[in-house]
Amino acid sequence: MTTTDLAVPDESAPVRRHALSRRHREWGLAYLLLLPALLVFGVFTFYPFLKNFKLALYQNPPYPGLPSHYVGLSQVGSVLSSTSFHQSLVSTFFYVLMVVPVGLLGGLLLAIAAHKAIRGMSMFRTAFSSTVVSSVAVAAVVFGTLMDPVVGLLPWLGIDPHPAILQNPTWALPAVSLIAVWQFLGLSFIIMTAGLQSLPDEILEAARLDGAGGWTMFWRVTVPLLSPTLFFGLVVGTIYAFQSFGQIDILIGPQNSGFTHTNVLLYYVYQALSIQHDPGVAAVLSIVLFIILLVFTLAQMRYLERRVTYAAN
Amino acid sequence: MSTDVRPGIGKIGAGVARVNFAGVSKAFDGTLAVDDLSLEVHDGELLVLLGPSGCGKTTALRMVAGLEDPTGGTVSIGTTVVNDVEPKDRDVAMVFQSYALYPHMTLRKNIEFPLRQQRVPAEERARRADEAAATLGLGDLLDRKPGQLSGGQRQRVALARAIVRDPKVFLMDEPLSNLDATLRIQTRADIVSLQRRLGTTTIYVTHDQVEAMTMGHRIAVMKDGMLQQVAAPQDLYERPANTFVASFLGSPGMNLLPATVVDGALEVDGVGIVLRGAPLRIADGPVTVGVRPESASLTATGIAASVTLVEQLGAETHVICTLVDGTRVVVRQGRKAVRPDLGEAVAIELDPDYLHFFDAATGDRLADDR
Ligand SMILES: Nc1ncnc2c1ncn2[C@@H]1O[C@H](COP(=O)(O)OP(=O)(O)OP(=O)(O)O)[C@@H](O)[C@H]1O
Ligand SMILES: [Mg+2]
């Protein structure tokens, strides 16, 4: 008995050493293969990301060409307390609030409509999802024409928009958000279709047999079952909405974005950097944007974790 | 208010809750899943739809539920043709193979869901859900969600959700197939006693012939979308209508041997079988003889065969033999019998009192009662 006890470590030791060295070799290879990606991310993502935090601590002089100087957190404080920042935050808030729910609900309704097995439905599916691949510039030009005060849709209907929609402090923000909704609809449709297709048919059939009508079916069965998908869409849509830039720049421009209340956060970053040549302010603004999106993403992870029991059923 | 245990009766048409298929067909582009099915399920009966995978059982069931539209014929519940009646208006409850519980609702909400759709007041809803849960032994689990249950418990929730409605008809699609063997036998008995107590017309789909034999008042055997035979379990076993039913029922199924009738006498593999009583009333020529494994035995003289496999099941042994022409014959032996060795040359004797005769070409049963 004693001998066998002794024999065990004697035999296993070389095996373990061998396994260890093999694992080391695998790790080495793994890092080697990761190196190109690490380099690219490091140079184009991580370094600028960290540099941005440093920029936020330096104030730029009012005239270009002079050196910036370290001011610590005072610049952060002054930006966060400025009215133009508050206005931008409010605009962003309303903008996201218009784009995301409408885009999600629209995508869901289109997905439900296209979920039926009807001949020729694939044509509609292609059409519904096509906005994903259309460029924002093209969309902006098309919608810009539709909203034109002279040749657009409203004059054609006999309504004289005055001031023009895109110069109107009330309507400019809904107008640009409409373009974002239109563009997000395709992605939303694809996400919702994928979600719907993964739902077990039998649960929906059981609900039909149990007497659920269209309304109950939608709100009490489909939507709860789709909630992980909806939440995913919510996060993707929010990130998408926060990053809107193209149609504002093309249709409104830096001069008009202020008084038309279309100065959303990302556009404000652009303005601070490229129009006002103030990298410090731009850095502070982009950190705010980063924190908002980070909170959203973390919330999603927490939420989806709670939903794991769903998938296990 | 009413003490009637089945208040659902009378909602569709008048009269009893029978289900009738009249020449029902269902074609999915290309394949005919159900082919001209005519079948009457009596009021209060548990009818088992039995058949191999892909024979159209689920499709037939779904046409009763209204989840699939027949491409021909009519389905009626009671006296009403339901072809154009919405699923929710048919007053049928279905138990799906996957249970199809609502994962985001507690068990109570799951069970109450159909009642909620019928606008049953909250108090009555709660009372009936409690009753259904108690019937199935789910009382203390009502606040859980389906994800927190075992397979057997989920299965019982699905049953509770069906019985709480007091429907005219229960439809069950292989509800036990996800359970382990012990639980399956237990739940099988539970479903039978529940059905007998409620007296609700039930169509029960399975491909497990033991389930069919033990549960059904009658069994309808299907193959390739076509109904083969409808009969009480014992009748089906004793008088199968064709070779398919004969070999599908029983474990293992009936042995089918090619044979010849010469002047009313029977020869299998050139060996004359001694028949008692009158000579066969079957025309001379080839015939298929069916014999259950328990009606065959190994003897000193008989049809020559060699042993290819011996399966010991504890209480009994299956000896699988091969005849000279390659036909497989299974012989069931009791515990006391002498077990042959693999490859051993043996002789098989058929009990002349338990022979079945089928047309060699069509496989249909030939009228010669023995
Ligand atoms: N939605 C459908 N579209 C096309 N073909 C189908 C569809 N549903 C069933 N079928 C076909 O119809 C036939 C019968 O299917 P069904 O599901 O009724 O069989 P089943 O007897 O229930 O089999 P199982 O025991 O495997 O559940 C099969 O050949 C199947 O491929
Ligand atoms: Mg099936």
Side-chain angles (χ1 to χ4, degrees), chain B residues 342-363:
Chain B
L342 277 189
E344 190 179 327
V346 291
I348 299 172
E349 189 183 47
L350 310 180
D351 186 337
D353 292 338
Y354 293 97
L355 295 183
H356 305 254
F357 299 95
F358 303 98
D359 189 298
T362 63

Side-chain angles (χ1 to χ4, degrees), chain B residues 6-318:
Chain B
R6 292 165 60 206
I9 281 186
K11 271 186 221 161
I12 285 187
V16 292
R18 56 172 201 127
V19 177
N20 186 270
F21 295 86
V24 173
S25 296
K26 174 70 190 182
F28 292 107
D29 34 27
T31 55
L32 202 54
V34 172
D35 189 356
D36 195 19
L37 173 67
S38 291
L39 175 64
E40 164 103 11
V41 186
H42 306 311
D43 183 38
E45 178 181 37
L46 195 160
L47 180 112
V48 175
L49 271 184
L50 176 69
S53 187
C55 72
K57 309 179 294 288
T58 298
T59 308
L61 200 69
R62 288 169 60 86
M63 287 192 284
V64 180
L67 298 172
E68 219 79 73
D69 290 327
T71 44
T74 55
V75 178
S76 347
I77 300 175
T79 52
T80 312
V81 173
V82 292
N83 283 36
D84 296 321
V85 177
E86 281 290 305
K88 66 182 167 66
D89 300 324
R90 295 189 181 200
D91 200 17
V92 301
M94 185 152 169
V95 178
F96 292 85
Q97 183 176 347
S98 63
Y99 316 137
L101 302 178
Y102 309 118
H104 54 292
M105 299 182 196
T106 60
L107 297 204
R108 175 176 291 284
K109 287 262 170 62
N110 262 282
I111 298 171
E112 283 187 2
F113 188 81
L115 300 180
R116 200 179 270 271
Q117 307 317 313
Q118 296 170 8
R119 310 246 181 279
V120 174
E123 281 164 42
E124 190 189 339
R125 217 158 59 204
R127 184 178 54 74
R128 283 167 68 178
D130 282 334
E131 270 174 28
T135 305
L136 290 150
L138 293 165
D140 44 356
L141 301 173
L142 281 177
D143 294 324
R144 297 220 198 150
K145 290 195 174 165
Q148 299 162 298
L149 300 182
S150 72
Q153 290 168 331
R154 283 180 213 177
Q155 210 285 328
R156 280 184 279 150
V157 178
L159 278 173
R161 187 176 64 184
I163 67 169
V164 79
R165 290 172 50 184
D166 273 320
K168 278 197 139 177
V169 181
F170 285 140
L171 305 173
M172 304 193 184
D173 191 0
E174 310 206 22
L176 306 185
S177 57
N178 289 341
L179 304 185
D180 68 47
T182 326
L183 202 52
R184 198 180 310 173
I185 293 168
Q186 169 67 38
T187 317
R188 194 164 83 195
D190 290 348
I191 292 179
V192 168
S193 64
L194 192 68
Q195 197 274 336
R196 302 294 190 267
R197 190 151 55 77
L198 300 176
T200 310
T201 310
T202 303
I203 306 180
Y204 186 101
V205 163
T206 182
H207 61 248
D208 179 340
Q209 47 112 0
V210 179
E211 257 175 46
M213 293 291 288
T214 52
M215 298 181 76
H217 289 117
R218 286 188 306 154
I219 301 173
V221 183
M222 289 180 71
K223 180 200 176 199
D224 297 337
M226 280 182 281
L227 183 63
Q228 305 292 308
Q229 187 176 7
V230 198
Q234 203 58 34
D235 290 347
L236 212 59
Y237 192 78
E238 286 169 2
R239 297 183 52 79
N242 56 38
T243 49
F244 174 77
V245 177
S247 56
F248 193 72
L249 261 90
S251 61
M254 189 183 282
N255 296 304
L256 298 169
L257 297 82
T260 325
V261 176
V262 182
D263 292 336
L266 187 66
E267 274 183 16
V268 177
D269 226 11
V271 179
I273 307 288
V274 182
L275 298 168
R276 275 188 278 268
L280 288 173
R281 293 178 308 245
I282 295 172
D284 282 7
V287 68
T288 301
V289 169
V291 62
R292 295 266 173 213
E294 61 268 29
S295 306
S297 52
L298 300 182
T299 50
T301 59
I303 307 156
S306 66
V307 176
T308 40
L309 188 65
V310 179
E311 289 179 341
Q312 297 187 21
L313 304 177
E316 60 186 47
T317 303
H318 298 164

Side-chain angles (χ1 to χ4, degrees), chain A residues 73-207:
Chain A
L73 289 174
S74 82
Q75 178 165 251
V76 176
S78 67
V79 170
L80 292 189
S81 58
S82 70
T83 44
S84 55
F85 170 72
H86 291 162
Q87 208 227 300
S88 171
L89 213 55
V90 170
S91 293
T92 311
F93 180 72
F94 278 115
Y95 179 82
V96 171
L97 216 60
M98 282 186 277
V99 172
V100 180
V102 178
L104 285 181
L105 198 70
L108 179 57
L109 292 178
L110 285 181
I112 288 175
H115 192 53
K116 303 197 170 69
I118 295 174
R119 210 177 293 273
M121 196 45 96
S122 60
M123 213 180 65
F124 285 95
R125 287 207 188 104
T126 311
F128 292 159
S129 49
S130 64
T131 68
V132 168
V133 292
S134 64
S135 107
V136 67
V138 173
V141 170
V142 171
F143 274 88
T145 312
L146 288 174
M147 292 169 189
D148 190 277
V150 182
V151 299
L153 216 51
L154 286 184
W156 186 73
L157 289 171
I159 302 165
D160 179 25
H162 192 85
I165 297 173
L166 294 170
Q167 270 110 53
N168 186 320
T170 315
W171 292 107
L173 190 66
V176 288
S177 74
L178 179 69
I179 302 172
V181 166
W182 181 83
Q183 258 224 317
F184 177 50
L185 217 49
L187 182 61
S188 171
F189 170 77
I190 291 173
I191 293 173
M192 297 302 158
T193 298
L196 274 185
Q197 280 171 353
S198 72
L199 289 192
D201 286 336
E202 293 198 338
I203 293 185
L204 302 179
E205 288 171 352

